[in-house]
């Protein structure tokens, strides 16, 4: 590393003590990473900015949309695309891939167990009330057998890299993880904007995600269906991830349906309303949360769902992906127990470690959190999207006091973790190429087996110094290159 | 392969109708600006509001039918559901629903078109820039048509697209004829006057039919010949006859190719309309009143629209032949 000195674009780039995804390999830098680094260094800032503008224009014309609920007047917003890619070596990828498979396998075993014999609860590995008292535990699922024992067909694991360069799992997303469309679209964008940067590097392709997903969904169709009809169920055009729903339906070649397109008959079969009458549906990739799925079974006010869908599901006439009730497994409180859960089912240590987590519902966890509030990150267990998070070291006195009060009012709603030194990527910013923090969400698809898309969503906190990468909080995304 | 969802069928039908509507709006504003001046060079912009039966809605929002006000109302007024901006937004919203079905090229072009319309400021629609703006709008609609022709997969959805487009065309031409004949110049004395001729000229040009008309009628500009051309000409793509015939053919093919039960009532309406168009000489129509005739045509078009909606889109049957769901 010392022998190489940047002379161009990266000349003033300083990771500022954080682990850099491009430069931070010490002695073991693979040759293709060096090639990317050198090519990037030789690129002029003006030219890079021009290409970034071109890419932004393309995204604008393409109407890539992202709804931010807090900005009522801005339904459609471009998800910022950050042009400099994030690179993952073959060796690192193998760690991630096997770690994710281990995680998904465990989640499926755990869900099957808690919805059947509940051995893990009886053995006291996970507190019973943590599972059975969880808002996302679905008693309707008790005793129900799902095809292949697969609950989490599509999983997204949020992974970060700490100051030492070690990967750690930050969160499991076992309900309806989103973002995979950006993985594929960002690649297409890069291929058009930076063919010279990519030439002869050996980057693993991501474009077959739709086929892999469709294959997996066919594999979990109800028994006896010879040619299963798959459909993607979306809440509709105003959903924040509608763009992704379109992408997935197109890539799989299946209809994108809304609740109002579906109907369940007296024999518990699900049909789509077509111009030629009703047509049966066998597998539904639903991008609709449990509580909206079926007004008969869950939220009676839901207009998005399909009355009778749960009835059909329980009768085994339709497969839902992901299964109902997976939210209990990716809960931030259950997360804390994941290392023990992996050990329990697989008798293995986690391939990718958790971030150290204090469970505030437990006395020691709460005390630890309250005593170190200014150095910890406090997260509500139920929220998604970076909302409600208090970052101790960055919070002011008032924010810390609010956080303390919330913790005391409802300790079971919170966990806390030490501040992670998130790794950085060289990122085009107003001040030139500068370090910005990134995370990684690889996507795993499970039918008969689990397959992990070689790539993932690298989210980047575009604001200087920010650690929050969510798109709703000013984050962008990078193309993620898994190298051969 | 799965059948077309009813919701998609409806969205593609409306997408086509709104594109057609947008194109016609640009044609009408353009022609009005260019050819509809009276002998002193003045223009009656109020006639455009009559054409679209928007007098009341317009008067509510604007104090006078000045060029500026009328152009604002029909180009960029978001409150006017018939403005170009509103129509293009409706095109885009339908396209967004249809993204799983339409080609990416179709989507990008529509999205780009919408972005351009959304960015229009008051100064962009000033009279002196109107011709260029209308040309842009027409071209965007025609680019859409071309991209659709070249990329849209021809299954059931394509038929609904064509049916929607054909019905909208028929509707637009009848409106144009109606307003010209009934509202612009109700005075029998003025028939054949220079103003009359120049207005018929404008009507033809707004349908891009002037040269085609000239091929059929090398000399003269008689009201009955223009009306006849726009109503009955079999080769002019925007005539009522050609549009209704096209809708009928697409519906027949759709039904037989995909063995659909629905659509029979819509076809009966279209057959009825064709019979009317085939059997009424223009002289008799003018004698009895063009406006009454056009009213009759529009009522049948509305019935056909409603029947399509009930058979394929899941619309509720209307209690009587009242308002359709046409905006």
């Amino acid at each position: 590393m010392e022998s190489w000195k940047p002379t161009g674009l990266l000349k003033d780039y300083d990771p500022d003590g954080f682990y850099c995804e491009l430069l931070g390999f010490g002695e073991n830098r693979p040759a293709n990473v060096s090639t990317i680094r050198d090519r990037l260094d030789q690129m002029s800032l003006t030219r890079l900015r021009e290409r970034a503008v071109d890419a932004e224009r393309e995204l604008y014309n393409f109407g890539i949309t992202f709804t931010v609920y807090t900005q009522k007047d801005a339904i459609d917003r471009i998800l910022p695309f950050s042009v400099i890619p994030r690179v993952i070596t073959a060796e690192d990828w193998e760690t991630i891939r096997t770690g994710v498979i281990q995680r998904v396998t465990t989640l499926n075993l755990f869900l099957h167990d808690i919805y059947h014999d509940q051995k893990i609860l009886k053995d006291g590995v996970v507190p019973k009330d943590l599972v059975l008292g969880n808002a996302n535990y679905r008693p309707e699922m008790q005793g129900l057998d799902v095809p292949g024992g697969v609950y989490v067909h599509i999983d997204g694991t949020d992974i970060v890299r700490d100051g030492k360069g070690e990967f750690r799992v930050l969160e499991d997303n076992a309900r309806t993880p989103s973002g995979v469309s950006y993985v594929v679209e960002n690649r297409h964008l890069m291929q058009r904007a930076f063919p010279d940067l990519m030439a002869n590097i050996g980057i693993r392709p991501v474009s077959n995600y739709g086929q892999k997903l469709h294959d997996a969904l066919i594999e979990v169709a109800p028994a006896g269906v010879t040619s299963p009809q798959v459909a993607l169920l979306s809440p509709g055009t105003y959903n924040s991830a509608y763009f992704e729903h379109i992408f997935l339906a197109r890539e799989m070649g299946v209809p994108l349906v809304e609740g109002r397109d579906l109907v369940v008959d007296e024999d518990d079969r699900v049909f789509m309303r077509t111009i030629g009458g009703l047509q049966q549906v066998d597998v539904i990739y639903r991008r609709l949360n449990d509580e909206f799925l079926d007004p008969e079974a869950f939220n009676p006010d839901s207009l998005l769902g399909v009355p009778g869908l749960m009835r059909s599901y329980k009768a085994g006439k339709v497969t839902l992906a992901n299964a109902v009730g997976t939210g209990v497994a990716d809960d931030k409180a259950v997360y804390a127990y994941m290392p023990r859960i992996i050990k329990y089912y697989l008798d293995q240590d986690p391939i990718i470690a958790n971030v150290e987590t204090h469970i505030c519902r437990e006395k020691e966890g709460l005390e630890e959190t309250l005593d170190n509030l200014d150095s910890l990150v406090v997260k509500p267990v139920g929220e998604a999207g970076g909302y409600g998070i208090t970052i101790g070291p960055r919070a002011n006195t008032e924010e810390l006091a609010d956080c303390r009060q919330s913790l005391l009012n409802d300790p079971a709603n919170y966990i806390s973790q030490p501040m992670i030194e998130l790794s950085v990527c060289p990122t085009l910013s107003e001040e030139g190429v500068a370090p910005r923090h990134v995370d990684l969400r690889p996507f795993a698809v499970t039918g008969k087996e689990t397959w992990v898309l070689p790539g993932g969503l690298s989210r980047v906190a575009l604001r200087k110094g920010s650690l929050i990468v969510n798109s709703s909080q000013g984050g962008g995304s990078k193309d993620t290159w898994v190298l051969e | 392969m799965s059948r077309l969802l009813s919701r998609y069928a409806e969205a593609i039908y409306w997408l086509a109708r709104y594109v057609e509507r947008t194109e016609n709006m640009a044609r009408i504003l353009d022609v009005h600006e260019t050819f509809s001046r009276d002998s002193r060079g003045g223009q009656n912009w109020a006639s455009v509001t009559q054409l679209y039966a928007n007098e009341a809605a317009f008067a509510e929002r604007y104090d006078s039918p000045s060029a500026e006000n009328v152009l604002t109302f029909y180009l960029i007024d978001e409150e006017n559901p018939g403005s170009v901006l509103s129509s293009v937004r409706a095109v885009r919203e339908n396209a967004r629903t249809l993204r799983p079905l339409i080609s990416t090229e179709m989507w990008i072009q529509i999205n780009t078109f919408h972005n351009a319309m959304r960015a229009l400021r008051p100064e962009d629609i000033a009279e002196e820039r109107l011709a260029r703006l209308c040309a842009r709008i027409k071209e965007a609609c025609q680019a859409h048509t071309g991209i659709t022709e070249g990329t849209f997969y021809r299954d059931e959805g394509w038929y609904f697209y064509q049916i929607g487009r054909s019905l909208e065309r028929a509707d637009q031409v009848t409106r144009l004829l109606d307003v010209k004949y009934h509202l612009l110049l109700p005075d029998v004395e003025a028939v054949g006057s220079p103003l009359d001729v120049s207005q018929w000229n404008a009507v033809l040009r707004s349908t891009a039919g002037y040269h085609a008309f000239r091929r059929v009628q090398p000399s003269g500009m008689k009201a009955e010949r223009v009306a006849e051309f726009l109503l009955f000409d079999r080769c002019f793509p925007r005539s009522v006859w050609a549009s209704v015939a096209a809708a009928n053919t697409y519906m027949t093919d759709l039904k037989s190719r995909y063995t659909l039960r629905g659509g029979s009532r819509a076809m009966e309406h279209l057959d009825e309309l064709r019979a009317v168009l085939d059997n009424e000489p223009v002289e008799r129509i003018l004698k009895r009143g063009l406006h009454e005739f056009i009213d009759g045509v529009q009522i049948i078009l509305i019935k056909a629209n409603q029947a399509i909606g009930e058979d394929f889109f899941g619309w509720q049957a209307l209690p009587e032949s009242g308002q359709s769901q046409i905006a």
Side-chain angles (χ1 to χ4, degrees), chain A residues 75 79 86-87 93 117 160 172 180 215 225 243 309 385 410:
Chain A
I75 285 179
L79 176 69
R86 188 255 185 88
V87 174
W93 178 251
D117 298 339
V160 297
D172 299 289
V180 73
D215 291 349
V225 179
F243 163 74
L309 188 58
D410 187 10

Side-chain angles (χ1 to χ4, degrees), chain A residues 12 25 28 53 60 72-73 82-83 95 107 128 230-231 240 246 256 265 293 318 327 335 338 354 419:
Chain A
D12 300 322
F25 293 92
N28 306 318
V53 169
Y60 181 66
K72 266 212 157 68
D73 55 343
S82 178
V83 290
T95 306
L107 288 172
K128 202 174 257 182
V230 178
S240 61
I246 293 164
L256 185 158
D265 75 353
L293 268 184
V318 71
Y335 161 88
M338 274 305 279
N354 264 16
M419 185 108 161

Side-chain angles (χ1 to χ4, degrees), chain A residues 60-63 65 76 229 237-238 242 246 249-250 255-258 260-261 272-276 279, chain B residues 2-9 92 96-97 99-100 102 104 107-108 111-112 115 118 156 160 260 312:
Chain A
Y60 181 66
N61 289 343
F62 200 57
T65 56
D76 296 345
Q229 173 69 52
T237 54
Y238 292 99
Y242 181 65
I246 293 164
R250 287 176 70 98
L256 185 158
V257 300
E258 295 179 15
R260 55 187 158 139
D261 297 320
M272 308 185 274
R273 298 178 209 271
T274 77
I275 56 162
Q279 183 179 344
Chain B
S2 65
R3 306 300 300 260
L4 180 69
L5 290 181
S6 299
R7 185 166 55 83
Y8 286 155
R92 189 199 184 247
R96 208 162 120 75
T97 296
R99 275 284 281 123
I102 61 177
T104 302
W107 164 248
I108 289 178
N111 197 51
T112 309
N115 286 339
R118 215 166 39 155
E156 300 124 302
F160 280 97
L260 295 173
F312 297 116

Side-chain angles (χ1 to χ4, degrees), chain B residues 63-307:
Chain B
D63 48 10
S64 70
S66 64
E68 188 187 348
N69 284 344
V70 171
L71 290 175
T72 303
F73 184 65
Y74 282 110
L75 285 168
I76 56 173
D77 190 338
E78 296 184 68
E79 304 286 316
N80 175 12
S83 72
V84 165
L85 181 56
S86 298
S87 292
V88 175
R89 179 183 301 128
V91 171
R92 189 199 184 247
E93 282 311 303
N94 280 299
R96 208 162 120 75
T97 296
L98 290 163
R99 275 284 281 123
L101 216 61
I102 61 177
S103 69
T104 302
E105 282 88 341
M106 284 172 75
W107 164 248
I108 289 178
Q109 194 264 340
I110 288 171
N111 197 51
T112 309
F113 184 23
H114 177 245
N115 286 339
M117 292 300 106
R118 215 166 39 155
L120 288 177
R121 296 153 302 166
E123 56 266 36
D124 298 323
I125 63 163
E127 254 190 298
E128 68 271 18
R129 298 188 185 170
L130 187 64
R132 209 183 310 162
L133 175 61
C134 288
R136 261 176 76 196
I137 295 170
K138 277 191 287 182
E139 273 176 26
C141 294
Q142 289 165 338
H144 161 81
T145 309
I147 293 170
T148 303
E149 200 279 330
T151 64
F152 188 37
Y153 190 72
R154 299 202 178 178
D155 61 5
E156 300 124 302
W158 186 81
Y159 286 94
F160 280 97
Y161 178 93
Q162 299 297 347
I163 291 166
R165 175 182 196 80
S166 308
L167 292 182
E168 184 68 28
R169 258 192 198 172
D171 182 68
Q172 292 288 335
V173 172
T174 56
R175 275 168 199 261
L176 191 64
L177 259 180
D178 192 26
V179 80
K180 164 62 189 109
Y181 204 78
H182 201 67
L183 296 170
L184 289 185
L185 202 74
D187 183 359
V188 182
E189 295 299 303
V191 170
S193 72
L195 176 58
D196 187 42
V197 168
S198 86
Q199 288 186 338
W200 281 114
N201 195 315
V203 167
L204 276 171
R205 285 184 194 273
S206 72
T207 64
Y210 180 80
H211 289 102
F213 176 76
R214 274 279 162 262
R215 285 173 63 185
V216 184
Q217 299 285 333
S219 66
M221 183 64 72
K222 288 213 170 94
E224 56 263 43
R225 292 284 81 81
V226 178
E228 183 182 56
F229 180 75
L230 292 179
L231 286 172
F232 305 135
D233 194 275
R234 311 215 160 186
C235 302
F236 180 55
R238 294 182 176 276
S239 79
V240 177
W241 193 96
S243 303
V244 171
N248 210 346
T249 306
Y250 290 126
M251 185 61 88
T252 309
D253 289 355
L254 170 72
K255 267 182 71 64
S256 68
R257 187 164 297 179
Y258 297 98
T259 51
L260 295 173
R261 271 172 297 155
S264 304
R265 286 183 309 133
M267 283 183 62
E268 281 168 25
H269 292 307
L270 293 174
D271 283 341
E272 181 193 346
L273 191 47
R274 281 177 68 170
V276 170
L277 294 170
D278 280 341
N279 296 317
E280 293 278 341
V282 73
E283 284 76 11
R284 198 157 73 203
I285 291 170
L286 293 185
K287 207 167 150 198
R288 284 206 221 121
L290 182 62
H291 176 68
E292 286 68 23
F293 178 77
I294 281 173
D295 249 9
V297 170
Q298 286 183 340
I299 286 170
I300 303 176
L301 286 174
I302 287 169
K303 283 182 183 164
N305 177 68
Q306 181 63 27

Side-chain angles (χ1 to χ4, degrees), chain A residues 103 161 185 316 327 436:
Chain A
R103 202 99 184 169
R161 208 195 286 245
E185 295 294 350
R436 291 289 183 269

